[in-house]
Amino acid sequence: MTASVEPQVPLSLGQKILTAALRGLLNLLFRGLMGPQLPVQAQRALLRGLTAATLTPRGVQREQTTLGGLPCEVWRPREGRAGTVILYLHGGAYLVGSPATHRAITANLARLCQAEVWALDYRLAPEHPFPAQRDDAVAAYRALLDKGIPSSAIAIAGDSAGGHLTLQLALQAKALGLPAPGALVTFSPVTDLTSEHLHAPAAGDPLITRAWIDSAMAMFCPPGVSRSDAQLSPLYADLTGLPPLLIQVGEDEVLRNDSLRFADAARRHGAVVKLQRFPNCWHVFQAHAGVLNVADRALQDVAKFVAQHLRGVRG
């Protein structure tokens, strides 16, 4: 598999104990409950409950608004003027999740990147299967451009299904002739909807099961379209002209190989790709920012990547 950077984050005894406790709780409360045996509405309620006590950092403020005709949360630094913008697309297998469930990531990105973070509340399956989500993301991106924000000052970011949507948005923007965003950031993105190359981590993935993936994709994907079709699986698309891309993935997750294989494919098409593989970390561990040091380190690396590749607007 492709070369990568494996960040070394020393763990204190307290962090080791906390990591083990979180892994156990997630195995019990998320992996053990979230799946096709639970109706979608109940899955959504479960995720809302598990994230209700999310810690958000000081120094940022939140506003409820709309973007491209869709509900949206915006996080802004309290002091100073944000020079860059991040359009954030949350994960949740396209079935669950919202801006509210991902505030640990979005609020910390606003603080660390000194950016406006627009977290889009896009439509979900099964009520709205593909391509509703891609259409919503394109509408939101167009709305940011219509505000006069240069594309070079915009990063698109997302986790899991939101990482998949991040890549879809970049590819659709190219197809529509829209200016490319300045950078892309993905946490554990889904890139191959065939699910033929899933990873089996020795320590186990405390979040994701094959059964949940299969159930979600059956509700998201349109009938009669191959899962390997480029419009569904970015891995098989023409990746020429892809903006600079940061991929962060844990070693202990079922979807690890989606990141590794996509990094290889993007580089073959000439893209600038930074792949970070985090040992002993699970799916979208960045959601534990403010609790796990490794999650804080990962988001700090995002801030460095954004600062390197975006040309902000100052004034």
Side-chain angles (χ1 to χ4, degrees):
M1 289 289 182
T2 188
S4 63
V5 178
E6 297 188 5
Q8 299 300 313
V9 183
L11 293 181
S12 65
L13 177 60
Q15 281 286 303
K16 290 179 180 178
I17 293 172
L18 185 56
T19 299
L22 269 175
R23 183 185 287 272
L25 283 173
L26 290 170
N27 262 310
L28 178 67
L29 298 177
F30 195 98
R31 190 179 191 277
L33 296 176
M34 192 75 78
Q37 75 280 0
L38 202 62
V40 171
Q41 291 297 335
Q43 293 184 39
R44 292 171 182 170
L46 174 62
L47 184 58
R48 287 196 300 270
L50 291 175
T51 57
T54 294
L55 298 174
T56 55
R58 296 180 179 179
V60 292
Q61 57 190 6
R62 174 168 52 90
E63 176 189 354
Q64 298 292 140
T65 185
T66 59
L67 185 66
L70 296 159
C72 190
E73 281 190 359
V74 187
W75 288 93
R76 296 184 176 92
R78 288 187 183 276
E79 296 183 5
R81 182 175 183 271
T84 54
V85 169
I86 299 173
L87 175 59
Y88 195 85
L89 305 168
H90 69 81
Y94 286 123
L95 301 182
V96 303
S98 71
T101 62
H102 285 64
R103 288 172 180 164
I105 294 177
T106 53
N108 277 288
L109 285 178
R111 178 179 65 87
L112 292 168
C113 299
Q114 285 296 290
E116 288 187 354
V117 178
W118 295 69
L120 187 67
D121 197 1
Y122 59 83
R123 290 173 290 174
L124 298 176
E127 297 92 339
H128 305 283
F130 176 88
Q133 298 77 15
R134 188 184 68 186
D135 293 345
D136 289 352
V138 169
Y141 184 56
R142 284 186 185 273
L144 290 175
L145 296 175
D146 289 344
K147 291 177 181 291
I149 302 169
S151 63
S152 59
I154 301 173
I156 313 298
D159 64 281
S160 194
H164 175 266
L165 187 53
T166 294
L167 299 173
Q168 281 200 317
L169 171 54
L171 294 169
Q172 188 68 359
K174 181 177 71 170
L176 295 173
L178 296 174
L184 306 176
V185 176
T186 59
F187 306 137
S188 308
V190 183
T191 67
D192 181 2
L193 270 59
T194 69
S195 299
E196 293 177 353
H197 297 271
L198 298 181
H199 179 52
D205 186 330
L207 283 183
I208 305 298
T209 65
R210 175 65 182 258
W212 191 45
I213 294 172
D214 290 345
S215 173
M217 292 303 97
M219 288 183 267
F220 168 70
C221 296
V225 179
S226 171
R227 302 285 177 86
S228 62
D229 190 295
Q231 67 175 323
L232 286 178
S233 292
L235 179 66
Y236 304 109
D238 177 2
L239 304 178
T240 305
L242 198 71
L245 169 64
L246 171 64
I247 304 174
Q248 293 183 342
V249 65
E251 286 294 293
D252 292 347
E253 60 171 297
V254 170
L255 292 172
R256 184 199 68 170
N257 293 344
D258 276 46
S259 290
L260 274 58
R261 295 172 69 224
F262 190 85
D264 277 338
R267 285 169 175 156
R268 286 196 301 270
H269 284 84
V272 174
V273 182
K274 182 175 183 179
L275 171 65
Q276 291 185 306
R277 297 166 62 176
F278 288 79
N280 306 311
C281 289
W282 51 81
H283 191 63
V284 194
F285 65 91
Q286 297 87 347
H288 302 293
V291 177
L292 295 183
N293 291 345
V294 66
D296 294 337
R297 162 63 190 277
L299 295 187
Q300 290 165 6
D301 287 351
V302 172
K304 293 176 184 176
F305 184 83
V306 168
Q308 179 183 357
H309 292 286
L310 293 194
R311 294 195 295 274
V313 180
R314 300 292 177 186

